[in-house]
Amino acid sequence: MSGNRHPEAARRYHDVTAHSPQSVRAGSRGLDWDTKPEPFKIYPGLPVITLPRDFPVPALDALGAVSTEPGGATPLDLERLAALLFFSAGVTRRTSYPGGGAMYFRAAPSTGALYQTEVYVVAGDVAGLEPGVYHFSPGDFALRRLREGDFRGALAIAAADDDLASRPATLILSAIYWRNTWKYQARGYRHLFWDSGSMLSNLLAAATALDLPARAITGFVDLEVNGLLALDAEKEGALLLAPVGGQGRPALVSPVIAAITPEVIPLGRSEVDYPLLRDAYENSSLDAESEVQAWREASWQRGPLPGALVALPTPRPSAGRALAETIMARGSTRQFSGAAIGSGEISAALWHATRGWPADAPSGLVDLYLTVHAVDGIEPGAYAYRPESHALELLKRGDFRERSAFLCLDQSLGGMSSATVFFCANLDALLEAYGNRGYRLANLEAGLIGGRLYLAAYALRFGATGLTFYDRDVVDFFSPHAEGKDAIFVTALGRSVKGPAQSPAPLEITPP
């Protein structure tokens, strides 16, 4: 029987992995660089389909692409699929280090630049691509075929959503645990959803810019999806499904899903298992189509928040920078200058990042709190963001740079930013409504909004970075307003010391 309806498991995981000044100091350890995981998952024996490099480049303004729900009816072909994969999970540039080391930067941000999120494609009606189940390899920009045949019907059953059988393809985001836990240990379970949420923000924006319908599906039978992808459930698990393209020719009866064990190159010499993470994934799994349907029907609605408001400027509809250019310019800011951004800039970033998302679960599950340090026209202080009225609720006045840096695990980025956004959620209410899978939703939505803040920041030519935090101290700082909530994620926004983001390099992919 599924453990999803026993939310004490997610609460226990969250509390055990919470950071505090005491726990961070007691648990600090050096990284074993000899066991650092390889950056790419490699299937050495599978058929290779090289993706076209002359794919369409999304020219839509980045802000419009971020906040507009994907729509349209452009047919999905291999070129557009290649564009979706590149602008959500592709290698955008490579940096070499002395001694032969290399860092491969991707289109979407990832905690610690570890990039544990993998992408698979279940294709059935993509022009130029045979039906099958594929793994996307960003290193050489290619697909590798795991299964031949049209398995969209099987995926529709696993998701309790017949619509998937008539969409040309579904992208599946999964995570390889060790690639993140190598650095972050069991707390990495949170990161799986922050990072997949950030990647989802790119995927939905790219789909909008390419005139392709797309949405997210968070409820599915985990065992069936993992089996379809032939994943080793001890090491990797599916996180979300994203059907793309307009309705078309429906799938016929799905082929039998035979067990397969394709060879995979090991990530490194050794791996450390974190049962706490695996248990968190298992305890939030759904076991049957009927359970997926029941879970999806659950709803939780939050009433409006009380309090006096500080109006934000009307958000600008565009930034003057195309989505493709923005993604190529994106990075994680390593040092903020402390200089101010305009109130219009933070207004646009907050507005476009919080307009909801097309998915099988409601949005608005996380609340945004801010420490404002240097925003022209907004008094320094602590605020709660009210998305329904697009306003900031002043909680307390003051210069909180030092306190904000402390809350961000004593990282100066949290205080030298122009503003730092703290994501919190009423976790107990979420777990009551959605079971342990509500924990996935909260972290995923925080990652999605964080990813949109990244895109908005670089579209508007300032910087952003994701940070970790002292859990209880964040809630205490924003209380009594945040009383009863839990800290989920942090994104800092501001001017980089290197100044405005530069024009990106030409769109090309360099194999590793």
Side-chain angles (χ1 to χ4, degrees):
M1 182 178 177
S2 169
N4 186 59
R5 293 306 308 174
H6 299 280
E8 65 275 6
R11 165 52 66 188
R12 183 169 59 250
Y13 168 83
H14 184 79
D15 292 344
V16 168
T17 59
H19 276 334
S20 69
Q22 295 74 27
S23 69
V24 169
R25 287 165 177 76
S28 61
R29 61 177 179 84
L31 295 175
D32 183 357
W33 293 98
D34 289 336
T35 63
K36 183 180 180 181
E38 293 295 325
F40 302 109
K41 184 177 186 180
I42 300 174
Y43 292 93
L46 296 182
V48 179
I49 295 87
T50 301
L51 287 165
R53 297 171 186 262
D54 56 346
F55 47 76
V57 176
L60 183 66
D61 186 271
L63 288 184
V66 166
S67 62
T68 304
E69 184 170 325
T74 302
L76 181 62
D77 54 22
L78 188 58
E79 288 74 23
R80 283 176 174 77
L81 177 61
L84 285 176
L85 292 169
F86 178 76
F87 288 108
S88 58
V91 174
T92 54
R93 61 187 181 275
R94 179 178 65 177
T95 298
S96 298
Y97 297 105
M103 170 66 77
Y104 301 89
F105 293 92
R106 314 286 182 91
S110 173
T111 49
L114 296 173
Y115 305 110
Q116 73 279 346
T117 309
E118 298 287 326
V119 183
Y120 297 82
V121 180
V122 178
D125 192 17
V126 179
L129 182 65
E130 292 295 321
V133 178
Y134 299 88
H135 172 258
F136 170 58
S137 173
D140 58 1
F141 201 57
L143 297 174
R144 284 170 169 78
R145 189 173 64 235
L146 286 158
R147 299 182 187 271
E148 293 184 29
D150 189 347
F151 289 89
R152 291 178 296 163
L155 199 59
I157 293 173
D161 189 336
D162 293 339
D163 180 68
L164 270 68
S166 62
R167 299 292 170 174
T170 292
L171 276 57
I172 303 176
L173 306 190
S174 73
I176 298 177
Y177 310 142
W178 172 237
R179 199 175 281 149
N180 195 276
T181 57
W182 169 77
K183 181 176 182 179
Y184 295 108
Q185 305 178 0
R187 188 175 168 96
Y189 181 69
R190 306 180 184 210
H191 301 182
L192 307 187
F193 298 96
W194 300 351
D195 291 0
S196 59
S198 294
M199 186 177 289
L200 178 63
S201 71
N202 278 34
L203 174 60
L204 294 177
T208 296
L210 294 167
D211 200 32
L212 292 168
R215 61 190 177 98
I217 294 178
T218 60
F220 51 87
V221 180
D222 301 73
L223 183 65
E224 293 180 7
V225 174
N226 290 337
L228 178 64
L229 303 180
L231 303 184
D232 181 347
E234 298 291 302
K235 299 181 179 180
E236 182 179 358
L239 305 179
L240 67 92
L241 318 179
V244 295
Q247 282 191 327
R249 181 169 48 114
L252 301 175
V253 177
S254 178
V256 174
I257 304 176
I260 58 174
T261 54
E263 180 186 0
V264 180
I265 301 296
L267 290 181
R269 282 192 248 171
S270 62
E271 300 181 22
V272 178
D273 181 37
Y274 289 92
L276 191 62
L277 183 151
R278 288 192 290 104
D279 288 347
Y281 183 92
E282 177 63 28
N283 287 331
S284 60
S285 294
L286 303 175
D287 291 346
E289 182 183 3
S290 59
E291 188 179 4
V292 174
Q293 291 172 325
W295 177 83
R296 191 168 286 144
E297 291 171 358
S299 62
W300 175 65
Q301 297 183 347
R302 181 184 57 203
L305 300 173
L309 303 180
V310 177
L312 288 168
T314 300
R316 66 182 73 175
S318 62
R321 191 176 217 180
L323 177 64
E325 184 186 357
T326 299
I327 290 175
M328 294 299 292
R330 188 210 59 78
S332 288
T333 301
R334 301 302 177 196
Q335 188 176 0
F336 288 118
S337 67
I341 62 175
S343 58
E345 292 172 314
I346 199 166
S347 169
L350 291 171
W351 170 269
H352 291 285
T354 56
R355 294 307 101 189
W357 51 313
D360 63 338
S363 58
L365 305 183
V366 295
D367 301 322
L368 277 59
Y369 291 85
L370 292 82
T371 52
V372 172
H373 312 132
V375 177
D376 292 334
I378 300 179
E379 182 181 7
Y383 294 84
Y385 176 60
R386 297 276 294 272
E388 71 282 358
S389 54
H390 188 53
L392 294 175
E393 179 181 350
L394 178 62
L395 303 181
K396 45 189 167 185
R397 295 178 171 84
D399 181 350
F400 295 113
R401 284 190 185 275
E402 184 176 343
R403 188 62 184 174
S404 186
F406 165 76
L407 295 177
C408 297
L409 224 67
D410 290 297
Q411 298 174 90
S412 61
L413 282 163
M416 290 304 294
S417 62
S418 303
T420 298
V421 183
F422 296 83
F423 299 79
C424 295
N426 187 332
L427 194 53
D428 289 335
L430 280 174
L431 297 178
E432 178 65 26
Y434 296 110
N436 294 314
R437 214 170 181 92
Y439 192 69
R440 296 192 189 188
L441 288 178
N443 284 281
L444 179 67
E445 186 178 30
L448 172 78
I449 297 175
R452 286 176 168 178
L453 288 174
Y454 262 97
L455 291 174
Y458 281 86
L460 295 164
R461 291 175 168 78
F462 58 96
T465 193
L467 299 170
T468 192
F469 47 88
Y470 293 130
D471 292 66
R472 187 67 247 170
D473 295 275
V474 169
V475 175
D476 289 345
F477 176 74
F478 290 105
S479 288
H481 194 286
E483 191 67 39
K485 300 178 183 179
D486 288 272
I488 301 295
F489 188 44
V490 175
T491 301
L493 308 171
R495 302 285 182 204
S496 169
V497 293
K498 64 182 180 182
Q502 303 300 309
S503 296
L507 294 179
E508 60 177 286
I509 302 162
T510 304

